Amino acid sequence: MGLDFTVVPAHLDIILLGCAWTIGIAVAAALLSFFGGIVFAVIALYAPWIIRQPFRLLEWVFMGTPLLLQLFLIYFGLVQIGIDLPAFVAGIIGLGLHFAVYNSELIQTAILSVDKGQMEAARTVGLSRGQALRKVVIPQAVRDVIPPIGNNMIALLKDSALVSVIGVSELTLSAQRAIGATYRPFEFYLVAALFYYAINLCMEWVQRRIERRIAISR
Amino acid sequence: MSDKSHFVEIRHAQKSFGALEVLKDISLNVERGQIVAIIGPSGSGKSTLLRAINDLDPLTGGEVWLDGVQVNKNLPHRQYEKHINEMRQDVGMVFQHFNLFPHLTARENVTMAPKMLKGLSSAEADKLAEEQLEKVGMLDRIEYYPSRLSGGQKQRVAIARALAMKPKLMLFDEATSALDPELVDEVNAVMKKLAEEHMTMIIVTHEMDFAASVCDRVLFMDQGVVVEEGPPSVVFKNPSKDRTKEFLRKHLAGAN
Ligand SMILES: Nc1ncnc2c1ncn2[C@@H]1O[C@H](COP(=O)(O)OP(=O)(O)O)[C@@H](O)[C@H]1O
Ligand SMILES: [Mg+2]
C-alpha cells in the first residue's frame, strides 16, 4: 500500500485548526518566555535573597525535570489546590515558564557582560538603578542574545507538541485524530511535519528581521 | 547652609578600596564658574576623586558639598538613592571611553534622561536635542547611532548628553585620552566653549597645554594627596615641589 495524499483534503480543516492552535500557543508561550526570561534574570541578579531563593527552586524545577511532567503538574496537579486552568492555558504557562528559565540564563550572562560604563553613564545623568537597567542595560543585553533566544523559540515550537498530552488539539493531536479516522499515519504525520516546518520558517524570518533592525544600530 | 560659601567643597575626602588607601585627606574648593584641572600620574587617585563628587565611588570618609547641599549625606538607603539621583542631575560627567548608549541614536542619547526625569514632551525633547547637538557641532549626525561616529564625535555627543540635563557642574575624566591625536582638538574646542560660557568644570587631563589655556587652577595629585595647587602659570612654569617638577619633566618629555 503506497502513499495516498488524496485523503488529506477532506481532513485539512482539522489540521489547519490544529495548526492555528499550535501557532497561538507557541506565540503566547514565546512571549511569556521572553518577558518572563527578563524578569527571572533581573530577580536572579538583583532581587534580595528572600525572593531569590524561592526562585532558585522554581528554576531548578523547570530546568531539572521533564517538560512533560511540568505540564502534568500544572494541568492536573494544580486542580488539587483549586487552580483549574483550561488545558491550553496550562500549556502556555508550562511551555512559557520552562523556556523563560532557559532564556533567563542567557539574559543573565548578557546583562553581566554589558560594559560597566553603561550603568555608570546612566546613573550619572540621574537615572535610578531600576531605570538604568530598564532603559540602558537590559535592552543591550537582550539584543546580544536574540540569536540564541531564537534557537530556544524553535525548540519551544517543537516542544509545543507535548501539550497534546493534556488534551489541547494542536497540530500533532489533530494529525492523530485525522489518522484515527483514516488509518493513514504516514500521510498525516508528513503533512503535520510540513506545517511545523512552515511555522519554523516564519519564526526564522521574524528573527532575521529583528536581527537586521538591531544590526543598523551596531 | 549659608556658611557653605564655596560652590563645590570637598572636605577631608578619604577613600579606601579594601586595604588600599587611594585618597588621603583631600580638601578642595571650587567656586562657581571656576575651571580646575587635576593632573598627576596614573593611579594617583584623580578619577576616584572626580567620581566621589557625584558619588559614583562613594567616599569612605569626608564630605562633598555642592551648592550648599551635602552630596554624600547620611540618609536611609531609599532616601539616599532619591537624593543622589537628584544631585546627579546637576552634575554632568564625561568619561574617557564616552559610554554613549549604543542602542540609541545621538538624539535619543541626549533626550533619554530629560524625557524620563524632567517629563519633557517629545517636541520639547527634540528641541533640546537639536540645541545641545548644535552646540557641540553634531547636529548633522543627530540620527546616527554611536557605532557610526568617530571617537571625537562620540565624545561630543556624550558632552551634549550631559549638558541636556542643564548641570551646574561638569566633570571630565580624561575626555580626550582615548582619542586619536587628530580628534583631540574638536573635543577641546567644545570644552573651551563651555569655559567661555562660565560653566563650572573639574577636568582630569593629561594635556598640560590645554589645562594651561583654559583652567583657573591646577591641582597636582600623587599617591592620593594633593601635592601642589595654584594657577597654571605657577604650577606649570614655577612649581615649588620636587614631585611636581619631576612629573612635569617626565610628562612633557614623554609627550613630545
Ligand atoms: N574599583 C576599584 N577597586 C579597587 N581599586 C581601585 C578601584 N578603582 C581604582 N582603584 C585603585 O585606586 C587607585 C587610584 O585609581 P584612579 O583614581 O583611577 O587613579 P587615576 O585616575 O589617577 O589614574 C589605583 O591604584 C587603582 O588601582
Ligand atoms: Mg583615571
Side-chain angles (χ1 to χ4, degrees):
Chain A
M1 158 167 140
L3 288 179
D4 178 11
F5 284 96
T6 57
V7 297
V8 172
H11 298 272
L12 203 57
D13 52 347
I14 290 197
I15 300 287
L16 285 176
L17 193 64
C19 199
W21 273 105
T22 289
I23 293 172
I25 287 170
V27 168
L31 289 173
L32 177 60
S33 78
F34 179 74
F35 292 105
I38 294 173
V39 172
F40 287 6
V42 169
I43 289 172
L45 292 176
Y46 303 106
W49 186 88
I50 191 88
I51 301 175
R52 220 166 54 228
Q53 283 319 102
F55 244 85
R56 283 254 168 83
L57 187 70
L58 199 72
E59 214 172 63
W60 179 83
V61 168
F62 277 104
M63 283 195 114
T65 65
L67 177 54
L68 190 60
L69 182 87
Q70 294 161 24
L71 291 171
F72 285 151
L73 213 78
I74 292 170
Y75 185 56
F76 299 114
L78 289 183
V79 175
Q80 271 178 275
I81 55 166
I83 305 173
D84 189 1
L85 298 168
F88 79 96
V89 174
I92 289 168
I93 293 175
L95 274 173
L97 293 185
H98 181 82
F99 282 93
V101 169
Y102 285 96
N103 287 345
S104 161
E105 296 281 310
L106 294 169
I107 294 167
Q108 282 176 51
T109 312
I111 285 176
L112 293 176
S113 60
V114 170
D115 179 30
K116 205 162 102 317
Q118 291 292 312
M119 174 60 91
E120 287 188 350
R123 298 306 306 272
T124 303
V125 284
L127 267 60
S128 69
R129 196 171 145 100
Q131 289 171 322
L133 277 175
R134 191 154 51 81
K135 287 291 196 174
V136 175
V137 176
I138 289 170
Q140 290 180 53
V142 167
R143 287 149 40 110
D144 290 342
V145 287
I146 291 293
I149 285 182
N151 292 342
N152 280 354
M153 295 305 93
I154 283 166
L156 181 151
L157 172 68
K158 291 189 280 188
D159 283 352
S160 73
L162 283 174
V163 304
S164 61
V165 298
I166 54 172
V168 181
S169 305
E170 44 64 72
L171 188 47
T172 301
L173 188 55
S174 301
Q176 277 168 357
R177 294 220 165 112
I179 291 160
T182 59
Y183 306 106
R184 287 280 175 185
F186 208 173
E187 286 84 347
F188 281 100
Y189 283 137
L190 275 178
V191 169
L194 208 66
F195 276 106
Y196 275 115
Y197 182 63
I199 301 170
N200 223 321
L201 286 182
C202 292
M203 286 177 63
E204 281 175 16
W205 180 79
V206 170
Q207 186 187 338
R208 268 199 308 278
R209 280 197 57 126
I210 296 171
E211 279 172 29
R212 205 171 319 140
R213 277 203 59 154
I214 289 170
I216 295 171
S217 57
R218 282 208 204 275
Chain B
M1 254 170 91
S2 53
D3 63 327
K4 309 294 174 288
S5 48
H6 305 289
F7 187 57
V8 180
E9 193 166 336
I10 298 172
R11 298 183 191 164
H12 306 293
Q14 192 278 341
K15 172 73 178 178
S16 300
F17 290 108
L20 180 70
E21 192 178 27
V22 175
L23 300 178
K24 302 164 186 163
D25 191 23
I26 291 189
S27 293
L28 165 69
N29 299 326
V30 181
E31 307 309 329
R32 199 184 288 270
Q34 260 194 351
I35 300 166
V36 175
I38 303 176
I39 62 170
S42 179
S44 55
K46 307 181 296 295
S47 296
T48 306
L49 179 62
L50 203 66
R51 292 158 58 89
I53 296 172
N54 63 1
D55 206 49
L56 228 42
D57 279 337
L59 290 176
T60 39
E63 297 177 358
V64 178
W65 292 74
L66 173 64
D67 203 9
V69 181
Q70 189 177 353
V71 174
N72 60 342
K73 65 177 152 192
N74 207 350
L75 287 172
H77 180 71
R78 268 170 196 279
Q79 273 167 275
Y80 186 73
E81 283 295 303
K82 189 167 177 296
H83 156 77
I84 206 69
N85 291 338
E86 279 165 13
M87 294 295 303
R88 282 176 178 154
Q89 296 188 26
D90 291 336
V91 183
M93 185 154 198
V94 175
F95 301 87
Q96 181 175 356
H97 296 287
F98 331 123
N99 298 354
L100 278 185
F101 306 132
H103 60 304
L104 303 178
T105 62
R107 179 198 295 278
E108 293 162 341
N109 265 276
V110 173
T111 57
M112 184 182 72
K115 269 179 157 169
M116 285 180 79
L117 304 173
K118 297 188 168 174
L120 263 61
S121 69
S122 286
E124 289 167 326
D126 282 340
K127 187 161 162 287
L128 178 71
E130 282 154 26
E131 261 167 38
Q132 298 306 329
L133 288 169
E134 162 97 83
K135 183 173 209 163
V136 299
M138 289 296 295
L139 190 52
D140 57 333
R141 298 283 192 276
I142 190 164
E143 307 301 350
Y144 279 47
Y145 283 98
S147 58
R148 297 179 57 205
L149 301 174
S150 73
Q153 291 172 333
K154 280 182 194 156
Q155 195 59 297
R156 286 188 282 150
V157 174
I159 294 172
R161 173 178 69 183
L163 293 176
M165 290 305 287
K166 312 279 177 184
K168 300 174 181 172
L169 168 69
M170 286 287 287
L171 308 173
F172 292 85
D173 193 359
E174 301 199 31
T176 57
S177 294
L179 299 177
D180 292 336
E182 71 272 19
L183 302 177
V184 168
D185 285 343
E186 60 188 76
V187 173
N188 281 346
V190 170
M191 291 168 69
K192 273 207 169 106
K193 198 157 152 187
L194 291 178
E196 282 157 16
E197 293 170 7
H198 305 291
M199 173 63 81
T200 312
M201 301 198 268
I202 304 177
I203 302 171
V204 171
T205 184
H206 282 306
E207 285 182 84
M208 304 306 152
D209 291 339
F210 179 72
S213 69
V214 300
C215 295
D216 303 299
R217 204 141 51 92
V218 179
L219 258 73
F220 171 63
M221 276 180 71
D222 193 14
Q223 296 179 359
V225 297
V226 176
V227 176
E228 182 159 4
E229 71 167 295
S233 55
V234 175
V235 176
F236 288 131
K237 300 274 154 51
N238 220 341
S240 59
K241 300 288 198 305
D242 288 342
R243 273 201 273 176
T244 318
K245 286 178 196 161
E246 192 192 348
F247 171 77
L248 288 172
R249 191 170 57 239
K250 270 191 198 157
H251 205 84
L252 296 175
N256 295 322

